[in-house]
Amino acid sequence: MGFGRLAIFVAVAAFHYGSAAVVKRTVTCPTGQTTANEACCVLFPVIDLIQQELFDGGECGEEAHAALRLTFHDAIGFSKNGGLGGGADGSILAFNSTETQYAANEGIDDIIARQFPVFLKSGLSPGDFVHLAGNIGANNCPGTPQLPFSFGRPPPIAPAPDLTVPLPTDSVTDILARMADAGFSTPEVIWLLSSHSIAAADKIDPTIPRTPFDSTPGTYDTQFYLEVLLKGTLFPGNGSQSGEVLSPIAGEMRLQSDFAFSQDSRTACLWQEPINDQSFIQGKFVAAMTKLQVLGQTNLTDCSDVIPTPAPFTADIHFPASFDQNDVQVACTTTAFPSLATVSGPAPTIPPVPAP
Ligand code: HEM
Ligand SMILES: *[C@@H]1O[C@H](CO)[C@@H](O)[C@H](O)[C@H]1NC(C)=O
Ligand SMILES: *[C@@H]1O[C@H](CO)[C@@H](O)[C@H](O)[C@H]1NC(C)=O
Ligand SMILES: *[C@@H]1O[C@H](CO)[C@@H](O)[C@H](O)[C@H]1NC(C)=O
């Protein structure tokens, strides 16, 4: 892509911290953008391609959500002890006909079909494409911390086997065990689940596609952790489905596993901790995602500075209209629940995430 006329301008600036001199290099790419590492220049046109062809010019919509989910379902095909796949290797894209057959990957075929032609145009390896697209998609959502990107995953060798991806019907014990086998601590699991703040379900109840897990699926915030704790009273669609439990709000879906984590003595305080603490969850999510996206990978190049900066979210969160502290199923006994105001007006009905 026009790299014949590559001109590299290297600006060198020296910053002095005490006696140590830190030299920061900046390369100006053919596209005019800058990065610390020339090898990252190829990503700028790919990011534009992804934004235009996958995310409708940069939206936090259905495809962005699904692209983030895809990073998890790809990467978690991994075990510290080996034998469960190559981790964040793009096998879910390259070996899609195998991995989309797995029950936990239900619905993943849609985003695979959307990504595949864009992947072919990108020139990236499957792993780099899946994880770059996931980060760009997530970063389209206000409030997401700027997710870093490591570049240089080799092509995947084989599909991941079945049963590496947790199901919403799995117990807390089983999900924690599976995640620990991939290298994640219990707190990291709870922090990764902040992804469900920009998420919806298509397949749990197929009569109500794109039903979100919180009232603000277009914003990465801590509303999700709060709303999972509100007393459940209804099923948003055609009655009770496998993997879902009672939801507090019309139009909102609550996963059985999310609720179980919110109530289990091992995780209840971890679940409560992020509520209305945006900078806390941002820091924890970045760290856990960074780990997720390099599972099974070595010798990658840090290209984090090519990733666009997300719009901020800094407001306090609120109880949805008609809810207050009395509706919270408090399960953490050691920390006080944060004090939150209630949105005024009648109880809301949450609209589905717009169709792509
Ligand atoms: C650990 C246990 C987890 C379980 C049991 C679980 C389960 C689910 C289920 C059942 C859905 C709805 C699928 C559908 O019906 O369309 C979903 C959606 C989603 N999940 Fe998870 N998940 C887990 C962890 C994660 C993690 C770690 C991430 C990312 C880092 C993630 C990101 C997402 C996203 C973004 C969606 C929304 C996809 C969309 O809106 O199209 N999940 N998850
Ligand atoms: C799945 O991957 C194959 C190549 O392995 C590709 O030809 C096919 O188009 C992909 N399927 C979808 C739905 O994109
Ligand atoms: C709704 O649920 C009932 C009972 O589970 C089932 O028989 C029916 O087919 C469902 N309706 C639709 C539209 O899926
Ligand atoms: C690491 O990557 C660099 C640059 O891509 C390459 O030259 C080197 O051989 C790689 N080392 C290993 C151990 O793969």
Side-chain angles (χ1 to χ4, degrees):
M1 265 189 188
F3 279 84
R5 57 184 177 80
L6 173 65
I8 302 163
F9 304 92
V10 179
V12 179
F15 301 94
H16 293 274
Y17 298 105
S19 58
V22 178
V23 177
K24 198 174 178 232
R25 300 171 81 250
T26 304
V27 178
T28 300
C29 304
T31 51
Q33 289 126 317
T34 59
T35 165
N37 190 333
E38 188 196 337
C40 307
C41 283
V42 294
L43 296 173
F44 286 113
V46 176
I47 291 170
D48 290 343
L49 180 78
I50 287 172
Q51 290 288 37
Q52 292 316 314
E53 299 203 0
L54 213 47
F55 301 138
D56 307 310
E59 287 183 7
C60 171
E62 159 86 2
E63 294 101 341
H65 300 167
L68 176 60
R69 181 181 180 219
L70 190 66
T71 67
F72 175 54
H73 289 226
D74 181 51
I76 203 65
F78 179 79
S79 166
K80 288 188 300 186
N81 305 311
L84 290 185
D89 61 355
S91 63
I92 202 161
L93 193 60
F95 300 104
N96 59 63
S97 60
T98 304
E99 294 197 28
T100 55
Q101 301 305 308
Y102 305 154
N105 286 338
E106 212 191 342
I108 286 281
D109 52 336
D110 287 351
I111 189 65
I112 300 273
R114 289 282 282 111
Q115 285 196 1
F116 209 87
V118 187
F119 153 68
L120 289 177
K121 283 190 202 173
S122 75
L124 301 191
S125 71
D128 284 336
F129 185 84
V130 164
H131 293 280
L132 179 63
N135 286 5
I136 299 298
N139 282 344
N140 286 341
C141 305
T144 303
Q146 187 166 2
L147 296 172
F149 181 66
S150 295
F151 185 33
R153 293 166 187 77
I157 292 163
D162 198 2
L163 308 181
T164 67
V165 183
L167 285 162
T169 46
D170 289 344
S171 68
V172 166
T173 298
D174 286 354
I175 296 175
L176 291 179
R178 175 71 273 276
M179 296 297 284
D181 177 56
F184 293 100
S185 68
T186 296
E188 286 172 329
V189 175
I190 302 306
W191 299 329
L192 282 172
L193 283 167
S194 64
S195 54
H196 285 180
S197 161
I198 43 175
D202 286 325
K203 303 295 178 185
I204 295 284
D205 184 338
T207 67
I208 47 164
R210 304 181 312 283
T211 298
F213 297 140
D214 76 355
S215 56
T216 56
T219 306
Y220 176 91
D221 59 15
T222 64
Q223 203 73 39
F224 162 71
Y225 291 103
L226 172 66
E227 291 175 22
V228 168
L229 286 172
L230 299 176
K231 274 179 196 133
T233 53
L234 59 88
F235 291 109
N238 185 23
S240 170
Q241 307 292 329
S242 174
E244 117 181 282
V245 293
L246 285 170
S247 156
I249 306 179
E252 180 167 309
M253 167 81 55
R254 178 180 289 167
L255 291 180
Q256 180 181 321
S257 48
D258 288 338
F259 185 60
F261 279 123
S262 81
Q263 300 297 304
D264 191 283
S265 62
R266 290 165 287 180
T267 49
C269 290
L270 292 164
W271 194 273
Q272 180 180 298
E273 190 173 21
I275 294 175
N276 205 29
D277 195 342
Q278 183 73 9
S279 59
F280 170 85
I281 197 60
Q282 284 187 325
K284 300 304 190 185
F285 187 57
V286 167
M289 280 299 290
T290 303
K291 195 165 156 181
L292 180 81
Q293 295 192 304
V294 300
L295 284 179
Q297 307 298 312
T298 53
N299 199 29
L300 301 182
T301 301
D302 182 12
C303 288
S304 300
D305 64 4
V306 306
I307 302 289
T309 306
F313 172 80
T314 53
D316 281 333
I317 67 159
H318 291 82
F319 285 112
S322 83
F323 291 88
D324 64 20
Q325 187 64 43
N326 295 319
D327 301 304
V328 181
Q329 295 172 294
V330 176
C332 172
T333 54
T334 56
T335 335
F337 200 83
S339 173
L340 301 171
T342 297
V343 172
S344 61
T349 295
I350 311 303
V353 172

